[in-house]
């Protein structure tokens, strides 16, 4: 484990301000890391189960049942269910839905759809959070490119991040890569710390200025979960359910999410 007090003193001496230094609560101890790693592992297995079965003709309620059943079989609890009133066990966001889609038996997957499935598992009191895109049948090449670029942006960021990188480096890498490929990044929703709560500090921006923001200490665990739009980055909240976010212009949106741990020598992906 890191010597927190030593590192804080060191960075203060270098002129880094308090707001750019992690609090003690953001640094997980070995027991917490083990717990979150286990929750993340279970969460990944749940997404693997979705991957095995997802196909055209299935409803998003069917996906909800797969996630709920598999999570409980593995000894976990699906975190979305009843979280701040969310009515289902997973988020399913199709095409122009950016995130927080609510599973329904009326929403049937059809050939050419792209869908994000976002699973969060509570296991022994710890959380793991990840999401993936799935291509349903034959997806057109621009939609496929959007999905690929979104995943590549996240993987590029994992590749370039190091302990003591700065928080806003994450968003810098992601937005630069997406823009270069002609896409836009949603600003309103970000990643978050994960641990004994679903959403902990810090807020993880998917845009930003290189070399700024919080210093990333070993022991920090958080998600990176960029939402990338085909056209404009503008989004709106569906007022009929107060949950689902859509692109303003009706363009497609893609998202991948990992839970990651900053280690002494790199990054460990805890759920994907
Ligand atoms: N899993 C989402 C995230 O990545 C949060 C979903 S909240 C819910 O942070 F209530 F919609 F499930
Ligand atoms: Co999530
Ligand atoms: Co998340």
């Amino acid at each position: 484990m890191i010597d927190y007090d030593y590192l804080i003193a060191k960075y203060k001496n270098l002129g880094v301000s308090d707001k750019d230094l992690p609090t003690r609560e953001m640094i997980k101890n070995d027991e917490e890391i083990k717990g979150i790693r286990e929750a993340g592992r279970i969460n990944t297995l749940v997404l693997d189960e979705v991957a095995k079965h997802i196909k055209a003709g299935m409803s998003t309620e069917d996906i909800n049942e797969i996630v709920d059943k598999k999570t409980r079989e593995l000894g976990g609890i699906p975190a979305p269910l009843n979280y701040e009133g969310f009515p289902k066990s997973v988020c399913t966001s199709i095409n122009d839905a950016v995130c927080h889609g609510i599973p329904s038996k009326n929403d049937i997957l059809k050939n050419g759809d792209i869908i994000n499935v976002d699973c969060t598992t509570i296991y022994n009191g710890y959380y793991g959070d990840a999401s993936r895109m799935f291509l349903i049948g034959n997806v057109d090449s621009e939609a496929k490119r959007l999905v690929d670029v979104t995943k590549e942006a996240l993987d590029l960021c994992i590749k370039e991040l190091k302990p003591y990188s700065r928080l806003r480096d994450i968003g810098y890498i992601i937005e630069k890569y997406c823009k270069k490929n002609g896409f836009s990044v949603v600003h309103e929703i970000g990643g978050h710390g994960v641990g004994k709560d679903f959403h902990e500090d810090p807020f993880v921006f998917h845009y930003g200025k290189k070399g700024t923001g919080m210093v990333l200490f070993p022991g920090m665990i958080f998600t990176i979960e960029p939402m990338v739009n085909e056209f404009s980055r503008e989004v709106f909240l569906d007022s009929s359910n107060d949950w689902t976010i859509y692109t303003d212009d009706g363009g497609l949106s893609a998202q991948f999410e990992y839970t990651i741990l900053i280690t002494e020598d790199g990054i460990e992906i805890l759920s994907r």
Side-chain angles (χ1 to χ4, degrees):
M1 256 197 82
I2 62 163
D3 185 340
Y4 179 77
D5 294 323
Y6 166 79
L7 282 171
I8 292 293
K10 172 178 158 184
Y11 279 94
K12 277 189 183 174
N13 260 328
L14 289 168
V16 176
S17 68
D18 284 346
K19 71 164 183 17
D20 285 338
L21 291 168
T23 62
R24 213 177 270 278
E25 297 72 65
M26 288 181 197
I27 313 302
K28 268 58 181 180
N29 64 34
D30 292 348
E31 182 186 330
E32 292 168 326
I33 291 171
K34 262 176 86 179
I36 302 161
R37 185 184 283 122
E38 251 324 77
R41 190 179 69 80
I42 303 286
N43 194 59
T44 299
L45 291 174
V46 175
L47 275 163
D48 289 346
E49 184 73 6
V50 173
K52 247 196 252 166
H53 298 284
I54 196 164
K55 62 172 197 293
M58 179 180 266
S59 74
T60 51
E61 176 60 29
D62 294 332
I63 298 170
N64 186 69
E65 275 161 30
I66 292 169
V67 168
D68 193 276
K69 183 162 171 282
K70 188 68 184 179
T71 305
R72 294 180 198 281
E73 232 173 70
L74 293 167
I77 300 166
L81 189 60
N82 302 321
Y83 173 77
E84 292 185 6
F86 193 80
K88 296 286 175 176
S89 298
V90 60
C91 296
T92 51
S93 307
I94 303 173
N95 296 335
D96 60 330
V98 172
C99 64
H100 303 167
I102 301 176
S104 157
K105 63 178 175 16
N106 301 321
D107 294 330
I108 312 290
L109 298 181
K110 56 179 197 311
N111 184 49
D113 282 346
I114 62 169
I115 179 175
N116 175 272
V117 178
D118 189 341
C119 290
T120 312
T121 300
I122 312 171
Y123 187 76
N124 277 333
Y126 294 104
Y127 287 73
D129 187 10
S131 81
R132 296 182 200 164
M133 295 301 294
F134 297 100
L135 308 177
I136 307 302
N138 301 313
V139 169
D140 81 40
S141 63
E142 259 314 89
K144 191 168 179 312
R145 194 173 69 86
L146 174 69
V147 170
D148 288 344
V149 165
T150 305
K151 173 97 169 25
E152 286 157 14
L154 179 53
D155 286 334
L156 184 63
C157 164
I158 301 300
K159 193 175 132 216
E160 294 197 0
L161 270 189
K162 293 175 190 64
Y164 312 106
S165 290
R166 305 294 287 257
L167 184 71
R168 302 303 292 263
D169 293 343
I170 295 170
Y172 173 79
I173 295 164
I174 288 171
E175 193 171 54
K176 185 176 166 202
Y177 186 76
C178 293
K179 277 188 172 168
K180 190 179 90 183
N181 282 284
F183 299 130
S184 67
V185 175
V186 174
H187 285 192
E188 289 78 0
I189 304 140
H192 49 90
V194 185
K196 286 183 173 145
D197 277 308
F198 199 154
H199 297 107
E200 299 182 352
D201 286 336
F203 183 87
V204 179
F205 300 87
H206 299 121
Y207 65 101
K209 192 165 174 270
K210 192 175 164 172
T212 69
M214 189 174 284
V215 181
L216 301 177
F217 282 15
M220 290 178 76
I221 295 182
F222 53 86
T223 72
I224 307 178
E225 48 180 301
M227 284 138 275
V228 181
N229 293 353
E230 188 178 13
F231 307 122
S232 143
R233 71 171 177 82
E234 301 302 324
V235 296
F236 71 91
L237 174 67
D238 180 348
S239 58
S240 77
N241 66 21
D242 256 351
W243 274 107
T244 311
I245 311 275
Y246 289 92
T247 61
D248 253 357
D249 56 20
L252 298 173
S253 188
Q255 178 180 28
F256 284 86
E257 174 176 26
Y258 297 160
T259 295
I260 68 160
L261 163 70
I262 307 288
T263 68
E264 310 257 357
D265 48 19
I267 304 294
E268 181 183 339
I269 300 176
L270 302 184
S271 191
R272 69 192 309 164

